[in-house]
Amino acid sequence: METVPKATVRMNSKKTGSEAGEDALIARIRRALPSRPGAQLRTGIGDDAAVIRPARWREWVVSSDALIEDVHFVAGAQPPESVGYKALARAISDLSAMGARPRFFLLNLALPRERIGRWLDECLQGMAKAARRFGMTLAGGDTARSRTIALNLTVLGEIAPGRAILRSGARPGDRIFVTGELGAAQLGLEIVLRGLAGQSRWRELLAAHNYPEPPIVLGQWLARRGLASSMMDLSDGLSTDLTRLCKASGVGARIQASRLPMVKVPRALAERGVEALPLALHGGEDYQLLFTVPARLAGRVPVKHDGVAIAEIGEIVRGRGIELLAKDGKSGRLAAEGWDHFGGRA
Amino acid sequence: METVPKATVRMNSKKTGSEAGEDALIARIRRALPSRPGAQLRTGIGDDAAVIRPARWREWVVSSDALIEDVHFVAGAQPPESVGYKALARAISDLSAMGARPRFFLLNLALPRERIGRWLDECLQGMAKAARRFGMTLAGGDTARSRTIALNLTVLGEIAPGRAILRSGARPGDRIFVTGELGAAQLGLEIVLRGLAGQSRWRELLAAHNYPEPPIVLGQWLARRGLASSMMDLSDGLSTDLTRLCKASGVGARIQASRLPMVKVPRALAERGVEALPLALHGGEDYQLLFTVPARLAGRVPVKHDGVAIAEIGEIVRGRGIELLAKDGKSGRLAAEGWDHFGGRA
């Protein structure tokens, strides 16, 4: 029970030279990603920890998220650039969901030796793309060798005091909104799963799966205006995430299938059994926003903001659970059927 | 190239119910670890992100660190309680190394299904022990299933503006200090590697390996007094870490073997080839402090502070590299021979 296979133990006093390995890798990461210290980031990557001076009258919003090989992605099936982009974008989505402005991130990178070359370069390029797009500066992190790839991202954002939008604020009568096209990321994954990702005709539909775009400008706008009573991001599918929001708020919800902004499924895929409604209800990884607005303020929510479509899909009700009003007028209970890492099988 | 084995893909719309799996696991983590929101932690675990109100006149110190199965520890060989304790303690060591006061942490937990039961309970107990000992509150995180255990810890600390002690401030003439007994953690590991960890006579010597104690009170004291010109923690061995500090400061160092506070190696282990000097020079994971003090202030550094022994081991010099003055009066270059994740083999 106490015997350790020597080969797998961390500490082994091998001659290495600090120039060669880890330090060189850190220098490479530093060059690839925006990481220049500034007025607020006083000490960035390269020291034991980052030192950040808070802006006056700002609260910090902090979240941490992992992207793991063979759990969240398959290295041979997903372009490395997308892996890097997505790892950061989905972490940023948690800031977006609070209404915060993204600022700094830390990257913990665990890699097998064979991924240190070209794969890592492309992965970092994708991450740099997301960093620039969402205004993030690398502030620190860690590297380690491991059997599988794991990217752990910690993101820090800023918000005016008391303005963060929580999951727990939904009240009966509030209107329910979602952004974007529900199921778009899952549709991209279905294309990959069917071995069709190589065909150029589907390329455009893969974007939502490979390069999600959390609507951070809208999130901040909602927080500034004080319009939303509750908010979260759609990461595990509407049915699961709305169930979570309702549970946190102690309420139920009624949504209308006819109002769901569903992704359009091309006929060739529909013929292969891909249906829009299940994608929209249960498909994950859209990284769009789900939020509620008190009825008297609902008219102030535009149908589009900063290029992002916004749709009212139902309302918050007393009680528990989600009622789905189908297009034929029938209604039924909607069960949480999105992804759950530790749930049992159906 | 674009085909994905279905079984390994994250998003698969399996029926799960948000009550059962991940949410229940998060609730368990929440109960096990100190996680109550307070005046500063306005929103903790359970929402998309944590919301933290900065104290007035404080900067934030942030670091992120991973503890990975078969890289940093072997699950069958290390008590789960120690894994949890150590994961947090080594992350805190990075805050200690800046002189910061530990405050909040985020935990990204990746686990195989078979570790969710008793193993996780004991791991969380160990982490709770470290959290209470070092005054940390859990603010958020993430859970995912994976083939091997990975604990990613992000830690946040506070410090007065401009007081953080960096690696880059060492100047020629500065005196070099270390805390604790160098090589103590490595000695513990050597006992494990020799299959002796089960023998009760060595139990006490395992503590430094299993339950490191970063000297956070001393770190804060040095920062408050403005005594140290540079500082870092000893995580990868003195030879490697001092090389890093010197490189960051653009200086060299001269240290005396006779002054190193070396761990005492029991005769029975010495007979098995365990030597104190290599342990002290290259052994990692001590999580003690390495710092420099301008010569005119060196007299103000006590030999002990808050129960932690402090030893002066040499001085910073112009140039590059480390010169080791041996006990016999001879001197030689000391190469960085501590642990490097991505370094080549000797």
Side-chain angles (χ1 to χ4, degrees):
Chain A
M1 188 262 185
E2 297 269 358
T3 335
V4 177
K6 283 199 187 188
T8 60
V9 165
R10 176 175 183 257
M11 199 65 45
N12 59 3
S13 297
K14 287 229 156 51
K15 269 188 199 160
T16 53
S18 64
E19 283 286 334
E22 203 167 347
D23 291 356
L25 181 59
I26 290 169
R28 222 171 108 206
I29 293 170
R30 206 170 171 166
R31 278 194 302 274
L33 299 173
S35 59
R36 190 172 300 194
Q40 264 197 278
L41 180 63
R42 299 176 56 75
T43 304
I45 199 168
D47 219 298
D48 294 284
V51 182
I52 301 174
R53 179 165 291 179
R56 291 183 73 166
W57 309 114
R58 284 289 177 276
E59 290 180 347
W60 283 100
V61 180
V62 190
S63 182
S64 196
D65 212 6
L67 196 74
I68 304 172
E69 184 179 3
D70 294 336
V71 179
H72 301 103
F73 70 97
V74 175
Q78 190 160 347
E81 210 201 345
S82 155
V83 173
Y85 176 96
K86 200 165 167 176
L88 184 52
R90 64 203 288 278
I92 288 172
S93 180
D94 286 327
L95 300 181
S96 169
M98 309 297 281
R101 178 183 167 210
R103 294 302 312 274
F104 305 107
F105 71 107
L106 292 89
L107 166 66
N108 278 14
L109 190 61
L111 282 181
R113 192 181 285 268
E114 66 270 21
R115 299 288 183 193
I116 303 176
R118 197 179 147 186
W119 190 93
L120 179 60
D121 278 336
E122 292 181 23
C123 172
L124 291 174
Q125 271 167 32
M127 193 172 286
K129 196 170 152 183
R132 284 189 298 264
R133 180 161 172 66
F134 300 108
M136 294 293 261
T137 303
L138 183 70
D142 185 31
T143 60
R145 201 157 67 200
S146 74
R147 280 197 303 225
T148 51
I149 307 166
L151 294 96
N152 270 268
L153 275 296
T154 300
V155 289
L156 293 102
E158 283 180 332
I159 195 162
R163 287 288 184 188
I165 308 172
L166 310 186
R167 296 182 178 185
S168 51
R171 296 292 170 261
D174 288 1
R175 303 297 188 244
I176 305 169
F177 294 84
V178 293
T179 63
E181 282 193 327
L182 299 183
Q186 183 77 28
L187 179 64
L189 179 59
E190 298 292 338
I191 292 169
V192 175
L193 290 174
R194 282 164 176 75
L196 305 172
Q199 299 179 13
S200 59
R201 61 198 286 219
W202 308 125
R203 198 147 291 163
E204 222 171 282
L205 299 180
L206 290 174
H209 169 60
N210 283 332
Y211 299 97
E213 299 196 19
I216 63 165
V217 175
L218 173 63
Q220 291 169 70
W221 183 81
L222 287 168
R224 227 170 22 239
R225 295 288 176 108
L227 280 179
S229 52
S230 73
M231 186 154 71
M232 68 183 294
D233 69 332
L234 287 164
S235 59
D236 292 338
L238 177 65
S239 62
T240 294
D241 291 329
L242 182 54
T243 299
R244 287 181 173 145
L245 185 141
C246 284
K247 210 184 143 190
S249 296
V251 296
R254 189 186 301 127
I255 60 174
Q256 297 181 37
S258 63
R259 292 189 163 198
L260 294 178
M262 290 186 273
V263 66
K264 277 156 220 46
V265 178
R267 193 196 287 183
L269 289 173
E271 283 166 359
R272 287 165 188 256
V274 180
E275 286 178 69
L277 186 62
L279 292 186
L281 289 174
H282 311 304
E285 299 207 302
D286 276 330
Y287 301 115
Q288 293 292 334
L289 291 173
L290 165 67
F291 60 95
T292 59
V293 176
R296 65 184 171 82
L297 299 174
R300 297 198 199 162
V301 179
V303 294
K304 205 161 200 172
H305 185 275
D306 189 48
V308 178
I310 307 172
E312 188 182 328
I313 62 165
E315 67 178 324
I316 295 295
V317 297
R318 286 178 206 288
R320 292 186 59 180
I322 302 169
E323 190 188 342
L324 176 68
L325 207 67
K327 289 186 183 174
D328 60 8
K330 289 179 189 163
S331 82
R333 303 289 280 186
L334 179 65
E337 296 186 14
W339 176 257
D340 186 310
H341 275 279
F342 291 96
R345 278 158 191 264
Chain B
M1 187 262 185
E2 297 269 1
T3 336
V4 176
K6 284 200 186 187
T8 60
V9 164
R10 175 175 184 258
M11 200 62 48
N12 59 3
S13 298
K14 285 228 160 50
K15 269 186 200 162
T16 53
S18 64
E19 283 287 334
E22 202 168 348
D23 292 355
L25 180 60
I26 291 169
R28 222 169 109 205
I29 293 169
R30 206 171 171 166
R31 279 194 301 274
L33 300 171
S35 60
R36 190 173 301 197
Q40 265 198 279
L41 179 63
R42 300 176 56 74
T43 305
I45 199 168
D47 219 298
D48 294 283
V51 181
I52 301 173
R53 178 165 291 181
R56 291 183 73 165
W57 309 115
R58 284 289 178 275
E59 289 179 347
W60 283 100
V61 180
V62 189
S63 182
S64 197
D65 212 6
L67 197 73
I68 303 172
E69 183 178 4
D70 294 337
V71 178
H72 302 104
F73 70 97
V74 175
Q78 190 159 346
E81 209 201 346
S82 155
V83 173
Y85 177 97
K86 201 165 168 175
L88 183 53
R90 65 204 286 279
I92 289 171
S93 179
D94 286 325
L95 300 181
S96 168
M98 310 296 281
R101 178 184 166 209
R103 294 303 312 276
F104 305 107
F105 71 108
L106 292 89
L107 166 65
N108 278 13
L109 189 62
L111 282 181
R113 194 182 282 269
E114 67 269 20
R115 299 290 183 193
I116 303 176
R118 195 176 148 188
W119 190 93
L120 178 60
D121 277 336
E122 291 181 26
C123 173
L124 291 174
Q125 271 168 32
M127 193 173 285
K129 195 170 153 182
R132 284 189 298 264
R133 181 162 171 65
F134 299 109
M136 293 293 257
T137 302
L138 182 70
D142 184 29
T143 60
R145 201 156 69 199
S146 75
R147 279 198 303 228
T148 50
I149 306 166
L151 295 96
N152 270 268
L153 275 295
T154 300
V155 288
L156 293 102
E158 283 181 331
I159 194 162
R163 287 290 185 187
I165 308 171
L166 310 187
R167 296 181 178 185
S168 52
R171 298 290 169 262
D174 287 359
R175 304 296 188 243
I176 304 169
F177 293 85
V178 293
T179 62
E181 282 192 327
L182 299 183
Q186 183 76 29
L187 179 63
L189 179 60
E190 298 291 338
I191 292 169
V192 175
L193 289 174
R194 282 164 176 75
L196 305 172
Q199 298 179 14
S200 59
R201 61 199 284 220
W202 308 124
R203 199 147 291 166
E204 223 170 284
L205 299 180
L206 289 174
H209 169 59
N210 284 332
Y211 299 96
E213 299 196 18
I216 63 165
V217 174
L218 173 63
Q220 292 169 69
W221 183 81
L222 287 168
R224 226 168 24 237
R225 294 289 177 110
L227 280 178
S229 52
S230 73
M231 183 154 74
M232 68 184 294
D233 69 331
L234 288 165
S235 58
D236 293 338
L238 177 65
S239 62
T240 292
D241 291 328
L242 182 55
T243 298
R244 288 180 173 146
L245 186 141
C246 284
K247 211 183 143 191
S249 297
V251 296
R254 190 187 301 126
I255 59 174
Q256 296 182 37
S258 64
R259 291 190 163 197
L260 294 178
M262 289 186 274
V263 65
K264 277 154 219 51
V265 178
R267 193 197 287 184
L269 289 172
E271 284 166 357
R272 289 166 187 253
V274 180
E275 286 178 68
L277 186 61
L279 291 188
L281 290 174
H282 312 303
E285 298 206 303
D286 275 331
Y287 302 113
Q288 293 293 333
L289 291 172
L290 165 67
F291 60 94
T292 60
V293 175
R296 64 184 170 82
L297 300 174
R300 298 199 199 160
V301 179
V303 294
K304 206 162 200 170
H305 184 275
D306 187 47
V308 177
I310 307 171
E312 187 181 329
I313 63 166
E315 67 179 322
I316 296 294
V317 297
R318 288 179 205 285
R320 292 185 58 179
I322 303 169
E323 190 188 342
L324 176 68
L325 208 68
K327 288 185 183 175
D328 59 9
K330 289 179 187 161
S331 81
R333 302 288 279 186
L334 179 64
E337 294 185 16
W339 175 257
D340 186 309
H341 275 279
F342 291 94
R345 280 157 188 266

